[in-house]
Amino acid sequence: MLDFPLAAPIHALPLEIMRVLGGSVLFVYFLQAFRQAADFSDPDGLIDHGLTARLFPPTRISLFQPGMPAILIRIMFLCACIASLFVLAGYHARASAVFLFLVAASTYRWNVLVAYLDDAMVHIFCLWLALLPVGHTLTLADLTGNPAPAGEWLAATVPGTTPRAFMANMALVYIVAGLYKFTSPMWRNGSAMHAALKMPIAHTPRFWTMRHRALLRTVTYAALVLEPLFALIFILPPNSTLKWLLLGAAMTFHLGIVATLKISYSNAVMAAALPLAFTPEIMQVGLGAPPPEALEAAGLAPTEVIALTLVALLAVMSALQAARAWVNLPAPGKPYSGRGWENPVRALLWLVGIFQSYRLFDWVDARNYHIRYEVRRIASDAVKPANPHWHDRAEVADEFEHVDPGALFPGTMRHLLLQSYLVGNIWLQMGPGKLTEIRKSLLFRHARRYARAHPDAGTMEAVAVVQRITDDNLDLTRGERQLLMRFTCQGGRAVMLHPR
């Protein structure tokens, strides 16, 4: 028997099932990054990467640097898609995962303004795949063999240290995300899910009305109670009734978020990890495989040392964050994240490419904004210099024409994150001066993007109708109009009229 209990062997097949599921998620993630490169990753897109590198120097620790041509960035994303298929197929899976981690970490730093939970979970999952003993069974080579070695799959085992460290990380996610919600008044009073589903990050914010209030209050309380309990899935004894019940609740939880909110990749990765927690049930109960035989005592491999160190650092980082931020969510319009460099463990992890924050929707009280855009084309005679109040006169119906707001402000998750800076609902730690620079840059680049697609559109005006989604405003009747910008499209170029 091994001297180190965590290293007791486990069956390899459930780990490989997780690898296949996770590889599929990674392929879609990097394919989406490639498809959205024009708006976010290309130097000529919506983000001024030179500006963000200057304002946030730590983001320079990346494969991507200002001045890099767009074609090279897109090639990196295509290579990541291929590497994801290698992971899925079990072909040099761990080496491929190392490459995926480097690209994923570089991408969230390159696009730091639009990085969110999905990016945090994807890049840490890539790192775990590089550390885990995967790629030994359930590979494409095995599946195309004649006959497929099903018996070998059932008998294959791997050392359990790194898989158990990975499961500890997954349990930590549930514990931190779940317990932080108890700091939120809206979670405690049952209105959090209703508010979240009315935010632009929901797939169908117009669907949820006051008639759903009782249902969503029940869902809110169920999530509040169950999420920290999901950590028990990784430690309960095999085939216990509670473990199966928690599995059903966890799958409902993750699939429900994927179906209703634009936070899909992190939830898909978490769901993909659950088969590992059910290794005994899959192998011994489902497939009738015998328990794994004990291995000879041996020292820890380098990857196992890294895995244990990683999960220990993540736990310490989370504890330090909780000590600093417990029940201290920022006021509306103030930065959400604490200063990362005040947490030395978080700073250390950042230096090696890891950014983790498991707080999910505990910020709904401070970030529960609903934003509706009005974009209109203004008649040319309404903007003459002799008429300083032309935007008031434009209320006359024959002086403006409404156009689709989605053409100027698309509704994907990353576009919404960029748009949050336009109304002051910022997510990064920054002072007013930095926010002003970023806001001005984003407004111009949004206008330029529109002018390229609509070169002869003329003069355009964009207004945001902003309101808080509070327990007494779930029907959204208190919107305030904010003029965002006016610009003129001239031969495919954007000329800013406001702000200058």
Side-chain angles (χ1 to χ4, degrees):
M1 183 69 69
L2 282 170
D3 296 330
F4 189 54
L6 288 178
I10 65 171
H11 286 287
L13 185 57
L15 184 61
E16 304 296 350
I17 293 173
M18 185 191 77
R19 186 208 79 226
V20 171
L21 296 174
S24 303
V25 175
L26 294 177
F27 174 78
V28 178
Y29 173 85
F30 286 108
L31 181 62
Q32 183 76 343
F34 174 80
R35 294 176 59 191
Q36 293 184 335
D39 276 353
F40 304 113
S41 298
D42 285 3
D44 207 26
L46 294 175
I47 299 175
D48 184 342
H49 298 97
L51 175 63
T52 57
R54 177 171 61 83
L55 297 180
F56 309 106
T59 63
R60 295 294 297 265
I61 309 173
S62 169
L63 296 177
F64 304 149
Q65 297 295 325
M68 180 178 287
I71 185 63
L72 185 56
I73 295 175
R74 296 187 186 216
I75 289 174
M76 293 288 280
F77 289 146
L78 286 178
C79 290
C81 290
I82 296 172
S84 300
L85 294 177
F86 283 178
V87 169
L88 193 157
Y91 180 75
H92 295 293
R94 297 175 73 175
S96 299
V98 171
F99 174 74
L100 292 175
F101 169 72
L102 293 175
V103 176
S106 298
T107 301
Y108 80 72
R109 291 180 174 184
W110 182 244
N111 296 327
V112 64
L113 295 182
V114 294
Y116 66 113
L117 180 66
D118 278 358
D119 305 291
M121 290 305 301
V122 162
H123 86 271
I124 196 69
F125 187 74
C126 291
L127 179 57
W128 278 113
L129 284 177
L131 297 174
L132 288 164
V134 296
H136 301 297
T137 64
L138 202 61
T139 66
L140 182 61
D142 290 340
L143 292 172
T144 56
N146 189 19
E152 295 180 13
W153 295 350
L154 295 179
T157 62
V158 293
T161 302
T162 304
R164 290 186 176 95
F166 171 73
M167 288 190 284
N169 190 179
M170 296 298 100
L172 182 66
V173 175
Y174 288 124
I175 292 171
V176 173
L179 293 182
Y180 262 109
K181 289 181 175 61
F182 284 91
T183 68
S184 162
M186 295 191 75
W187 278 97
R188 295 197 303 268
N189 69 24
S191 61
M193 283 305 303
H194 201 150
L197 291 173
K198 296 296 292 184
M199 294 171 67
I201 62 173
H203 290 303
T204 56
R206 295 183 181 180
F207 173 79
W208 304 100
T209 64
M210 293 301 292
R211 72 177 183 271
H212 300 109
R213 184 171 185 175
L215 170 64
L216 295 178
R217 187 176 297 273
T218 301
V219 172
T220 299
Y221 285 131
L224 185 65
V225 173
L226 288 172
E227 189 172 10
L229 296 180
F230 292 156
L232 296 176
I233 291 174
F234 299 96
I235 61 174
L236 284 171
N239 215 32
S240 70
T241 301
L242 179 58
K243 188 176 181 181
W244 285 110
L245 291 174
L246 288 174
L247 172 65
M251 291 303 298
T252 302
F253 176 83
H254 290 302
L255 294 178
I257 293 177
V258 171
T260 57
L261 300 171
K262 300 172 184 177
I263 309 176
S264 54
Y265 297 104
S266 56
N267 285 278
V269 164
M270 292 295 293
L274 292 175
L276 186 57
F278 283 79
T279 296
E281 289 84 353
I282 293 172
M283 299 304 299
Q284 297 165 34
V285 178
L287 299 176
E293 296 181 1
L295 301 174
E296 293 294 329
L300 293 175
T303 54
E304 294 173 324
V305 174
I306 294 172
L308 293 173
T309 303
L310 173 60
V311 74
L313 289 174
L314 289 171
V316 172
M317 180 203 72
S318 299
L320 290 176
Q321 284 182 318
R324 292 180 180 275
W326 201 258
V327 301
N328 286 321
L329 285 173
K334 300 298 182 182
Y336 163 63
S337 299
R339 290 188 290 274
W341 299 97
E342 290 183 353
N343 187 329
V345 180
R346 187 180 184 189
L348 174 63
L349 290 171
W350 175 277
L351 289 174
V352 297
I354 301 169
F355 173 71
Q356 294 291 278
S357 179
Y358 301 142
R359 298 172 63 171
L360 177 61
F361 282 111
D362 64 303
W363 40 256
V364 68
D365 303 82
R367 297 290 174 260
N368 54 4
Y369 283 84
H370 180 274
I371 304 172
R372 177 175 58 84
Y373 296 104
E374 295 177 359
V375 180
R376 56 192 187 180
R377 183 180 295 109
I378 307 298
S380 58
D381 62 353
V383 294
K384 294 179 181 179
N387 184 7
H389 302 294
W390 65 270
H391 57 278
D392 295 328
R393 288 186 63 245
E395 294 299 326
V396 181
D398 60 0
E399 294 187 349
F400 71 86
E401 174 191 357
H402 283 289
V403 300
D404 177 20
L408 182 58
F409 299 116
T412 74
M413 185 66 178
R414 298 198 192 282
H415 285 103
L416 294 173
L417 287 169
L418 275 188
Q419 294 158 25
S420 68
Y421 295 92
L422 304 182
V423 296
N425 187 23
I426 61 176
W427 295 85
L428 289 178
Q429 182 75 37
M430 69 181 73
K434 288 184 178 180
L435 178 60
T436 298
E437 285 190 76
I438 288 176
R439 186 176 186 273
K440 186 174 181 179
S441 171
L442 290 176
L443 287 171
F444 169 72
R445 286 177 174 247
H446 276 81
R448 184 179 64 181
R449 177 183 182 273
Y450 186 88
R452 287 171 175 171
H454 306 84
D456 301 316
T459 300
M460 308 297 299
E461 179 182 78
V463 172
V465 181
V466 184
Q467 55 190 310
R468 302 297 308 281
I469 312 170
T470 55
D471 191 35
D472 58 350
N473 188 38
L474 294 176
D475 52 353
L476 303 178
T477 58
R478 303 176 187 172
E480 296 183 1
R481 296 167 58 86
Q482 299 179 15
L483 175 64
L484 293 179
M485 62 176 165
R486 292 189 294 268
F487 61 95
T488 299
C489 301
Q490 297 180 354
R493 296 175 56 251
V495 178
M496 297 297 290
L497 304 176
H498 172 83
R500 292 186 178 275

